[in-house]
């Protein structure tokens, strides 16, 4: 290794984001490289949640819908999140999960492109994206899901929309959203981006996209089960209608009319009673994000992932560890994936030694680098531990072979 641990400590001392680590709770002895799956807890999250429970729910009771702004949480929180994805106010709502957000975006896109009966989805995408589209197509009838393959070959005048992830959850590869969006729109179709592995990892720009969806519990640190978001380009606000026509998206939700009429603007992309308590940690996290320079986040992310790639390179010849993620920083998100035939027990052995990554079948070791709280020294120590696990073959231990339910 050409870079020493002391070099990494020096890099940490110069890091303009170093003060942010204190904003998060990170157990001692843990190198947490799973912020791309469940972000660390903002220190302020517990008190923020307690405040909503005790002061809002406890004292204001049902009045909280007005006095504490519960009814508008999907919109007010969406406005706070919007800058992270290059969107403006009134363009994002927060609520439900990413899977549900996909149904909203895809069904709205189908409605905007009547007569086009093909939905293009990526077989390599996170499975729920694909499963939700399959369910929609089955329920509506007369539609077809087509795999993305080579985009130029599958785009035709029968395509209503394309759903793709900006960053591949398995390989960490980042797609060129501007180029893909332009190509899809030139074919008359609508572009829907899944930003689960983008939002909070770097500055996203959805200004050209038609729709976007994403979760807030990964790089955005909003906690397990935190609500997802949907972005709708304002050029579609007047006509886009999705199929989850719940009462909160109604033009007059408290008129209790017999039939559905969509609300004006982005509000029609809300569905039903928001999970009020889950917005508290998200808003606590957004308090941090509002103070962060996303250019610095990206610069640090590139530096962390590049360091990890350079150090892990040493593991290729002796142990057959292969780099899966593109070496060109422009072509990756904030995650690095390595391949090893015994990836599962290797990851279990690593976790047992305090280095937390995760495993994705069949043979991928995933490491996420959340720039707000991961240090250069953590990267160094993680690779040192991985080296030891491989060198001493700790992973062969019986205990690491049996698969746990959640990998
Ligand atoms: C994490 C992730 C999801 C999660 O979906 P949920 O509905 O929140 O369970 C969906 N899509 C992608 C690409 C993801 O990375």
């Amino acid at each position: 290794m050409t870079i020493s641990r002391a070099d990494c400590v020096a890099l940490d001392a110069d890091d303009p984001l170093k003060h942010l680590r204190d904003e998060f709770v990170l157990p001692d002895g843990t190198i947490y490289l799973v912020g791309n799956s469940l972000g660390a807890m903002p220190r302020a999250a517990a008190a923020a949640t307690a405040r909503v429970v005790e002061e809002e729910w406890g004292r204001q009771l049902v009045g909280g819908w007005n006095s504490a702004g519960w009814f508008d949480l999907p919109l007010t929180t969406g406005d706070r999140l919007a800058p992270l994805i290059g969107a403006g106010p009134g363009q994002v709502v927060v609520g439900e999960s990413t899977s549900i957000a996909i149904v909203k975006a895809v069904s709205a896109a189908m409605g905007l492109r009547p007569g086009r009966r093909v939905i293009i989805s990526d077989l390599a995408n996170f499975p729920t994206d694909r499963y939700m589209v399959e369910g929609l197509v089955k329920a509506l009838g007369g539609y077809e899901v087509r795999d993305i393959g080579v985009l130029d070959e599958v785009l035709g005048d029968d395509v209503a929309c394309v759903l793709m992830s900006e960053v591949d959850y398995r390989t960490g590869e980042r797609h060129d959203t501007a180029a893909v969006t332009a190509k899809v729109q030139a074919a008359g179709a609508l572009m829907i981006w899944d930003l689960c592995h983008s939002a909070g990892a770097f500055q996203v720009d959805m200004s050209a996209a038609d729709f976007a969806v994403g979760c807030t519990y990964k790089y955005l640190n909003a906690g397990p089960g935190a609500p997802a978001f949907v972005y709708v380009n304002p050029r579609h606000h007047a006509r886009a209608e999705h199929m989850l026509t719940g009462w909160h998206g109604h033009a007059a939700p408290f008129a209790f009319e017999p039939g559905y009429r969509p609300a004006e603007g982005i509000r029609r992309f809300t569905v039903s009673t928001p999970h009020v308590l889950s917005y508290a940690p998200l808003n606590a996290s957004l308090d941090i994000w509002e103070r962060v320079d996303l250019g610095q986040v990206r610069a640090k992310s590139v530096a962390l992932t590049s360091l990890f790639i350079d150090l892990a390179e040493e593991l290729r010849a002796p142990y057959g560890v292969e780099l899966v993620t593109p070496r060109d920083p422009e072509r990756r998100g904030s995650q690095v994936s390595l391949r090893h035939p015994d990836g599962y027990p290797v990851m279990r052995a690593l976790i047992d030694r305090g280095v937390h990554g995760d495993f994705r079948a069949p043979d991928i070791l995933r490491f996420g680098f959340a720039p707000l709280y991961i240090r250069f020294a953590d990267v160094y120590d993680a690779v040192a531990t991985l080296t030891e696990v491989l060198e001493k073959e700790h992973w062969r231990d019986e205990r690491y072979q049996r698969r746990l339910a959640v990998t």
Side-chain angles (χ1 to χ4, degrees):
M1 292 185 188
T2 47
I3 184 162
S4 70
R5 191 172 195 286
D7 295 334
C8 292
V9 171
L11 287 171
D12 286 324
D14 281 344
D15 172 12
L17 300 175
K18 66 180 173 194
H19 57 287
L20 291 171
R21 184 176 164 89
D22 278 344
E23 302 275 355
F24 295 90
V25 177
L26 290 155
D28 284 341
T30 295
I31 297 179
Y32 191 69
L33 304 180
V34 212
N36 55 330
S37 185
L38 179 69
M41 186 178 94
R43 208 170 278 288
T49 308
R51 200 185 56 75
V52 172
V53 171
E54 289 164 9
E55 291 179 25
E56 297 184 3
W57 180 20
R59 300 211 183 131
Q60 300 171 45
L61 288 163
V62 74
W65 287 107
N66 289 312
S67 54
W70 294 342
F71 186 72
D72 285 330
L73 273 174
L75 283 83
T76 53
T77 313
D79 282 352
R80 298 191 70 197
L81 189 146
L84 297 172
I85 61 165
Q91 299 175 9
V92 178
V93 283
V94 170
E96 296 83 31
S97 65
T98 305
S99 302
I100 300 302
I102 287 167
V103 171
K104 296 185 206 178
V106 175
S107 64
M110 287 165 145
L112 289 169
R113 287 293 178 273
R116 291 176 170 240
R117 313 297 280 184
V118 174
I119 316 299
I120 293 184
S121 160
D122 189 352
L123 258 187
N125 205 342
F126 191 87
T128 202
D129 296 48
R130 179 81 183 192
Y131 300 161
M132 296 310 281
V133 171
E134 283 175 11
L136 250 176
V137 162
K138 194 168 159 190
L140 296 178
Y143 283 89
E144 176 198 330
V145 192
R146 190 178 287 166
D147 185 36
I148 219 158
V150 178
L151 192 56
D152 288 314
E153 290 168 13
V154 292
L155 274 176
D157 60 10
D158 54 352
V159 176
C161 61
V162 176
L163 168 64
M164 238 175 111
S165 283
E166 178 172 16
V167 177
D168 185 298
Y169 78 103
R170 208 181 328 224
T171 65
E173 179 178 0
R174 178 184 180 182
H175 297 285
D176 181 342
T177 52
V180 174
T181 301
K183 192 177 281 187
V184 167
Q185 291 171 345
L190 298 173
M191 187 66 216
I192 306 167
W193 286 105
D194 185 324
L195 305 175
C196 279
H197 291 272
S198 315
F202 47 81
Q203 175 70 66
V204 174
D205 181 6
M206 284 295 111
S207 53
D210 296 289
F211 298 89
V213 301
C215 60
T216 62
Y217 53 74
K218 293 174 181 164
Y219 291 99
L220 293 180
N221 315 307
F229 62 86
V230 185
Y231 157 79
V232 183
N233 191 302
R235 66 175 167 266
H236 298 308
H237 284 193
R239 290 195 308 122
E241 291 189 34
H242 65 96
M243 68 184 286
L244 301 177
T245 47
W247 67 305
H248 279 226
H250 193 282
F254 290 93
F256 297 108
E257 292 173 9
Y260 183 82
R261 282 190 297 129
E264 290 293 314
I266 196 72
R267 188 187 288 278
R268 66 176 60 177
F269 279 80
T270 64
V271 178
S272 55
T273 309
H275 302 159
V276 172
L277 303 185
S278 293
Y279 287 76
L282 172 54
N283 276 298
S285 175
L286 291 171
D287 289 341
I288 302 172
W289 283 104
E290 271 175 359
R291 292 186 276 122
V292 169
D293 174 338
L294 286 167
Q296 289 180 343
V297 169
R298 177 61 176 167
K300 184 175 174 191
S301 160
V302 167
L304 290 168
T305 52
S306 298
L307 174 64
F308 185 85
I309 288 171
D310 289 346
L311 293 171
E313 177 68 19
E314 310 277 321
L315 303 173
R316 190 154 61 92
Y319 309 113
V321 172
E322 263 181 66
L323 176 67
V324 176
T325 305
R327 213 171 269 280
D328 173 3
E330 282 304 307
R331 293 188 50 225
R332 63 175 187 256
S334 201
Q335 162 195 332
V336 179
S337 300
L338 303 175
R339 177 173 280 137
H340 186 276
D342 293 291
Y344 185 74
V346 168
M347 184 52 79
R348 291 286 305 282
L350 255 185
I351 292 171
D352 229 12
R353 286 157 182 79
V355 178
H356 293 248
D358 64 12
F359 171 78
R360 286 292 173 264
D363 56 3
I364 290 189
L365 299 156
R366 278 199 323 176
F367 300 92
F369 300 87
L372 301 196
Y373 51 82
I374 296 301
R375 298 167 298 199
F376 291 93
D378 294 329
V379 173
Y380 187 92
D381 293 342
V383 178
T385 307
L386 176 59
T387 305
E388 189 202 295
V389 162
L390 293 165
E391 194 174 64
K392 305 216 169 111
E393 300 196 354
H394 292 311
W395 58 269
R396 288 195 189 274
D397 192 309
E398 192 63 37
R399 290 176 296 161
Y400 303 140
Q401 314 303 318
R402 196 176 51 82
R403 298 267 168 120
L404 301 175
V406 176
T407 62

